Amino acid sequence: MIGYIMRRLAAAVPVLLMVSLLAFLLMQIVPGDPAYAMAGSDASVTEIEAIRHDLGLDRAWYLRLADWYLALLRGDLGHSYTLRADVADLIIERIPVTLSIALYSLLIAIPCSIAMGIVAARFRGKLIDLGIMTTALLGVSLPNFWIGIMGILFFSVHLGWLPSGGYVPMGEDIGGWIRSMTLPALVLGTMQIGLLTRITRSEMLDIMHKDYVRTARAKGGSELRVLVRHALRNALVPIVTVIGLLFGMIVTGAVVVEQVFSIPGVGRLIVQAILTRDYPLIQGTLLFVAGAFVLINLLVDISYAYLDPRIRQA
């Protein structure tokens, strides 16, 4: 298992390098100049050129790319143009915020979607199945920003139950953190619930017709025990795969949700970096997101061995 993990980590290095290369090259062709953004619209050409020289933007792109890769070998993600701080420190500061909202949304999405998928499979073709799958389809189809705006109008403006935005650190006030993160987590979890419900229902329908499920029923086991212990347990491998992908989608979906709810996470940091053409910050945050995807996929692969004894024996 350790050898497998090391091989997967080694294979991730070219992926991360390619992501960083694409991020760097895309920044070269995107319109805009960070020096102009920093200097302001009233700055003279001389002042803008001076800023470009200070930032090293007047050097050839391949020299700046070489400097970027050399810095990565030292574990240095660069220095933000606009925030005047190390990119690694800025990301580390925002990680707990984005991670907390991602885990909170999964905590909401996983139990709800698995329960809905089991019920829909058990009552296949009936009205409750149609209602659940219609709800799941709406969750997958509706964009996060629209759901967020509707959630603010309903829960914040109309009912006054939850704040419309902002963030309260967990260490300062756990109750305030729950109130500030519940609505964003619900919005992020809506799409995840829709997708995971459909996958769970599909896998359960396939498993429920297996011989060992019929045998468990014939032995007199309760329907709930048969569904949970025998059917769901054997359907978990593809479900765990989807959960891992959903966690990666939540990290990217946080870009929109954090902007809508004014949450100071990695997603909002990415938006701020793009708007200000902060090249080191854009490259660093994209590299972090790619690394998160690689790590999540690795954890999902490792979990297979614990969920399916056949994989562990192989």
Side-chain angles (χ1 to χ4, degrees):
M1 179 63 73
I2 296 178
Y4 170 75
I5 295 174
M6 296 304 296
R7 288 194 298 271
R8 287 299 304 273
L9 290 176
V13 174
V15 175
L16 296 178
L17 291 177
M18 183 59 65
V19 168
S20 63
L21 175 61
L22 290 176
F24 181 89
L25 295 178
L26 285 174
M27 288 303 98
Q28 309 308 308
I29 62 177
V30 170
D33 188 346
Y36 181 82
M38 294 174 61
S41 57
D42 297 331
S44 64
V45 176
T46 304
E47 293 173 335
I48 294 175
E49 290 300 324
I51 294 176
R52 287 180 56 83
H53 179 73
D54 292 339
L55 298 178
L57 297 175
D58 55 348
R59 303 175 64 213
W61 66 269
Y62 52 85
L63 295 177
R64 287 184 281 122
L65 179 61
D67 291 341
W68 161 245
Y69 279 136
L70 289 175
L72 284 181
L73 292 176
R74 301 192 302 267
D76 182 11
L77 295 180
H79 197 79
S80 170
Y81 295 158
T82 56
L83 299 180
R84 304 294 184 181
D86 287 337
V87 172
D89 293 339
L90 292 171
I91 295 175
I92 291 172
E93 181 183 352
R94 307 288 184 104
I95 286 176
V97 180
T98 299
L99 189 61
S100 63
I101 187 175
L103 293 177
Y104 194 0
S105 63
L106 283 180
L107 188 63
I108 295 173
I110 292 175
C112 292
S113 56
I114 290 179
M116 291 168 62
I118 293 174
V119 172
R122 175 64 181 81
F123 299 98
R124 179 185 183 184
K126 297 185 178 180
L127 185 61
I128 188 172
D129 180 26
L130 178 62
I132 289 176
M133 297 315 296
T134 301
T135 303
L137 180 61
L138 288 175
V140 174
S141 304
L142 296 176
N144 281 340
F145 72 88
W146 186 86
I147 298 175
I149 294 173
M150 293 300 104
I152 291 173
L153 290 175
F154 184 72
F155 290 104
S156 301
V157 178
H158 182 65
L159 297 178
W161 289 355
L162 298 169
S164 60
Y167 173 74
V168 178
M170 185 183 298
E172 294 181 6
D173 181 8
I174 183 65
W177 177 85
I178 293 175
R179 283 176 52 82
S180 66
M181 298 298 280
T182 296
L183 190 53
L186 284 171
V187 173
L188 263 182
T190 300
M191 184 181 70
Q192 279 68 40
I193 290 175
L195 180 58
L196 191 55
T197 297
R198 295 169 66 87
I199 296 298
T200 303
R201 177 183 181 274
S202 176
E203 293 299 324
M204 289 294 293
L205 287 175
D206 182 57
I207 295 294
M208 285 169 61
H209 295 89
K210 299 294 185 182
D211 291 338
Y212 56 83
V213 176
R214 288 195 290 266
T215 302
R217 285 198 179 100
K219 289 182 177 180
S222 66
E223 187 65 17
L224 180 61
R225 181 182 178 88
V226 171
L227 288 175
V228 175
R229 183 169 183 178
H230 297 280
L232 179 61
R233 185 175 182 180
N234 288 278
L236 277 180
V237 170
I239 292 175
V240 168
T241 302
V242 175
I243 291 174
L245 295 175
L246 289 181
F247 190 83
M249 293 169 62
I250 286 174
V251 173
T252 56
V255 174
V256 176
V257 173
E258 289 177 3
Q259 193 70 13
V260 171
F261 291 96
S262 301
I263 298 175
V266 176
R268 198 174 184 198
L269 186 65
I270 293 174
V271 174
Q272 181 181 356
I274 294 174
L275 292 177
T276 58
R277 302 296 189 272
D278 195 333
Y279 294 163
L281 191 54
I282 294 173
Q283 293 167 195
T285 50
L286 290 180
L287 191 63
F288 163 76
V289 172
F293 266 97
V294 170
L295 179 60
I296 291 167
N297 287 329
L298 177 61
L299 294 176
V300 169
D301 289 345
I302 294 173
S303 68
Y304 287 166
Y306 295 95
L307 293 174
D308 193 338
R310 294 169 297 180
I311 298 176
R312 185 165 60 249
Q313 292 172 2

